[in-house]
Amino acid sequence: MSVPENTVWKEVATLADIPALGGRVVATEGGEIALLRNERDEVYALDNRCPHKGGPLAEGTVSGDTVYCPLHNWRIDLKHGQARDPDVGCVRTWPVRLEGERVFVRLPE
Amino acid sequence: MNNPVYGRPRLVMVGNGMAGMRAVEELLAMAPGHYDITVFGDEPHPNYNRILLSPVLAREMAFEDTILNDRAWYHAHGITLHAGQAVTRIDRARRLVHAADGTVERYDRLLLALGSTPYVPAISGAQLDGVMTYRTIEDVRAMQALPAGARAVVIGGGLLGLEAAYGLLTQGAKVTVVHRNPWLLDRQMDRVGADLLQRSLIARGLCLCLGAETEAITGDGHVQGLRLKDGRTLDADLVVFAVGIRPRTALARAAGLHCDRGIVVDDTLQTFDPRIYAVGECVQHRGLTYGLVAPLFEQAKVAANHLAQYGRLRYTGSLASTKLKVTGVGLFSAGDFTGGAGCEEVSLLDAAGGVYKKVVIRDHKLAGILLYGDTALGPWLFQLLRTGQDVSALRDHLLFGETTGDVRHGGGRAIDHMPEAAEICGCNGINKGTIVHAIRTRGLFTVDDVRRCTKASASCGSCTGLVEQILASTLGGLYEATARKRSLCACTDLTHDEIRDAIVTRKLLSVRAVFATLEWKAAGGCPTCRPAVNYYVRCAWPAEAIDDPQARLVNERVHANIQKDATYSVIPRLYGGVTTPAELKRIAEVAERYQVPMVKITGGQRIDLLGVKKQDLPAIWADLGMPSGHAYGKALRTCKSCVGTEFCRFGTQDSTHLAITLEKRLERMWSPHKVKLAASGCPRNCAESTIKDFGVIGVDSGWEIYVGGNGGMKLRAGDLLSKVASEDEVVELAEAFMQLYRKEAYYLERTAPWIERVGLDHIKAMTVENSESRKQLAAELRHALSHEEDPWAAALSGHITIHAQPLRVAEMTI
Ligand code: SRM
Ligand SMILES: Cc1cc2nc3c(=O)[nH]c(=O)nc-3n(C[C@H](O)[C@H](O)[C@H](O)COP(=O)(O)OP(=O)(O)OC[C@H]3O[C@@H](n4cnc5c(N)ncnc54)[C@H](O)[C@@H]3O)c2cc1C
Ligand code: SF4
Ligand code: FES
């Protein structure tokens, strides 16, 4: 994933804020971001809008590299934001860094 | 109870026979690895199926095929087996058992399963060579060593004696049965039936000496003959005593354990020493001892449950049926078939055809069954006997089976008409429904598969024919098509049933435990298996399960229904659809305060506040001050009602009151899918009770109850389950029905397809006909509900969190 221009690391959460295998919403000026945490405690940040009909991905089911949208069960790849076959579409992803318990996301300045 | 010095607690089992090893198997399934297990058996073999000694004697089967657990099995399960070692002393103070060869083992728990010894009366000559009993494989070998043409006498014309006699006959011996009573099998047969049997046995070459008592056995070193009390004498090269058994209590008695006829145990199979349990023929429970495996297997299950420290089961005694394993002779008998004062008998005798059927009825219920020649009705009748159902309406065709007028040619049809609850394998207590279910869901297609998966036909084997018929009727010709089993989802190869079994028997308390123990392929599961497994865990262990909010889908996690624009709807509970002006005002104020975009009356007679933002949910719940209506869950939804007797001029019952009661008694119930109820006050059925999962219609004399109705995607009218007189009975039946549904239906299977799958008969048998199982199920549901909190209240008090507020970006950046 390429690092978007004019972005900086911002602290958004602690790991404990995000339920394992689930998600939390972060309200930012540019809109809602979904923080999603899988069983390996990897955290991903995606826009909180499903490419299908805008479902809130933070309420989805997380497993491995996938989040399943809560509205119609589309499967979105956490790493690239791509909808998995047979669905098509893409959602914007944001770089995430963990420092111990602290969660940082690279967001617009 | 973990022992720091010795590691895991130690279980020592004495008696390597059928009951004891069944208990060990049950224990391994329930709590693998809980104990270090050591087994003593004084027979020099691994555990074998004693019941099958008769077919071995008759050379219809090899001994090897009767082995239930071979040495490799003990090894694979880490069990130390001392075969050929008799335990001679129990030291309860030091918790040690001493064996004949000096071996000493320490125990934390001791299980005694010593079986019994054949009874040999004290008559002269009983100690001569060639005088024996019939209990072990060594006895079989001794009988088989008898040269053809030799003369054998069997003393005792009971089941065991006749099986010995038949076996000896097949060796080519000349066999006489000496029996004290005027007819054979007097504990299983009346005179009429015995006459038919005797004729058939005589035709096979057996000699009978009835009403005869042995005075002495004669011979010099080796037996030569025997003298009867009436003066007659018989020549004999071999004498077999089969006149009864005595529980083996000497070991326990010497250790100071309380014994009467057997080792006395309570309903948990515990002896008077809390560390010592006992099962099998050696025990005496509520004054009774048992000599058939079915009750012993029930005991084994209960004992294992307590050894595993689950403490959930109770043994309350058994009612057993018997069969005779002599090839070509069909006999089924159960209960008290002698009749007598206060009883009626219904019988049918076809002397030429060799068929005799008789049932004894007391107080309109079956009290005894005797079937000779044609035993196909055994399971059905035994089912009626055990459930204590009123059989008045069935009298006309009790002896012909469930369908009137149908001539029952060929067993294939008979099996189709048998209800799901009919017991097929008496030894292991397996009913038809369980077998059909296993065949369908696990893709079984041979008798061996069925044996392995259900244990049906795995003990005495006399139900093998029935199992074959069930296979044929369930699979039709399509063996291959059904061979594939359906797994829950792509994350596992296991089926719903296999997963539920494992959760119950291995006490898995969380989704994580299930995924780890059952080796899930995707560590995090998927939206199909996570909610299903979370439900199964909570259903099996209501008090102990660890709920996983992330295993719930959004609606059940947030406790509101998500809408297309990611807002939510709020439907508070309005019991029976009844509200008050004050409540309406409060709802209206809340809707205004939070600018709820739409307020709607729903199809289920509730009030829906639509378009609520997630952030506002807790505040709205608090301001409403009403419980959750669960309109978002796989849970009890609503009980629709009509006006009923309170106001309606046609009402025959107070349907509004009943609807409120039902909703209050069942609220907070989670289930495999949503559950909808309705109560109408008369057959005009204004609440649409016949398209509900559980619907009630008032009539003059009480309530008609319909189940399995559905008004959704696939319209289905409910089936009449029962008619009851009072509101209390409706509630109890509702509770029992719901619990059965909760325990048996697959996740996301509504009552309609569930009933189509398992059959209404099964549901009737469990909830209507058998009052004990009804009460048990209802109690289970009440227990489960006692652990459920109102989710909105729980969220407000912080017991659960719905993460209503979003996170904010911290000021600090790096
Ligand atoms: C609110 C309500 C419509 C209304 O405004 O009246 C409603 C709304 C929904 N129904 Fe319904 N059903 C509503 C009464 C019914 C009824 C009538 C009834 O309950 O008397 C039925 C037919 C009766 C039945 O279930 O047998 C009904 C049959 C369904 C079905 C088909 C179920 C089936 O087994 O065939 C679904 C789909 C499902 O559950 O999988 C469904 C699913 C839904 C969902 C939950 C769809 C979803 O997952 O989002 C709808 C939520 C809409 C929303 O945005 O909140 N709804 N739905 C009704 C709420 C009833 C209540 O008071 O609790
Ligand atoms: C020929 C035959 C046919 C039968 N047919 C049927 C039938 O068709 N249907 C039916 O339901 N039942 C049938 N039964 C009865 C059934 O086999 C018994 O009810 C059942 O085996 C009893 O199980 P148990 O574990 O209590 O005793 P057992 O199976 O006898 O096991 C007890 C074991 O403990 C051992 N033991 C005892 N004391 C000690 C000690 N101190 N140290 C070490 N080991 C010890 C014994 O040697 C024995 O191996 C039949 C029995 C026989 C003999
Ligand atoms: S029928 Fe039910 S599921 Fe369909 S749109 Fe209406 S409320 Fe939604
Ligand atoms: S909005 Fe996500 S799948 Fe439809």
Side-chain angles (χ1 to χ4, degrees), chain B residues 221-233:
Chain B
H222 197 279
V223 60
Q224 282 167 347
L226 113 175
R227 194 169 64 243
L228 302 179
K229 287 206 173 138
D230 61 15
R232 277 184 287 174
T233 57

Side-chain angles (χ1 to χ4, degrees), chain B residues 349-381:
Chain B
L349 173 65
D350 172 1
V355 174
Y356 176 54
K357 304 183 194 181
K358 166 171 150 185
V359 291
V360 173
I361 302 173
R362 189 183 300 128
D363 297 335
H364 309 293
K365 294 173 184 163
L366 277 196
I369 308 165
L370 201 178
L371 301 172
Y372 179 80
D374 175 2
T375 58
L377 292 179
W380 178 59
L381 291 172

Side-chain angles (χ1 to χ4, degrees), chain A residues 8-13 17 19-28 35 39 53 56 58-63 68 70-71 73 97 99 102 104 107, chain B residues 512 522-528 530 548 550 552-554 557-558 562-566 568 614 802-814:
Chain A
V8 291
W9 290 107
K10 294 188 181 179
E11 180 166 10
V12 294
D17 288 331
L21 295 176
R24 280 302 291 277
V25 177
V26 188
T28 75
L35 287 181
E39 66 276 8
K53 291 188 173 176
E59 303 293 354
T61 302
V62 179
S63 179
Y68 297 76
L71 290 196
N73 232 6
R97 206 169 89 200
E99 276 182 21
R102 300 163 76 189
F104 297 85
L107 293 168
Chain B
R512 267 155 204 255
C526 73
T528 302
R530 262 154 63 174
D548 179 357
Q550 299 311 317
R552 295 164 169 240
L553 300 183
V554 55
R557 189 172 62 243
V558 179
I562 195 164
Q563 320 279 301
K564 55 190 271 189
D565 60 354
Y568 293 85
K614 190 179 182 189
I802 65 162
H803 298 301
Q805 308 305 327
L807 298 167
R808 306 272 165 194
V809 180
E811 287 307 310
M812 188 196 65
T813 58
I814 50 167

Side-chain angles (χ1 to χ4, degrees), chain B residues 391-456:
Chain B
V391 294
S392 319
L394 299 171
R395 278 185 74 117
D396 286 353
H397 53 278
L398 270 177
L399 298 180
F400 302 96
E402 276 181 286
T403 45
T404 31
D406 209 10
V407 184
R408 303 164 64 92
H409 291 302
R413 296 313 301 166
I415 206 83
D416 291 343
H417 293 303
M418 225 173 253
E420 301 283 296
E423 188 172 80
I424 301 296
C425 172
C427 294
N428 291 288
I430 311 290
N431 63 28
K432 178 183 156 192
T434 309
I435 300 174
V436 170
H437 189 84
I439 293 172
R440 292 214 181 116
T441 57
R442 303 194 180 186
L444 314 180
F445 57 100
T446 67
V447 174
D448 266 350
D449 291 344
V450 174
R451 265 184 207 138
R452 193 165 27 78
C453 292
T454 68
K455 285 216 184 280

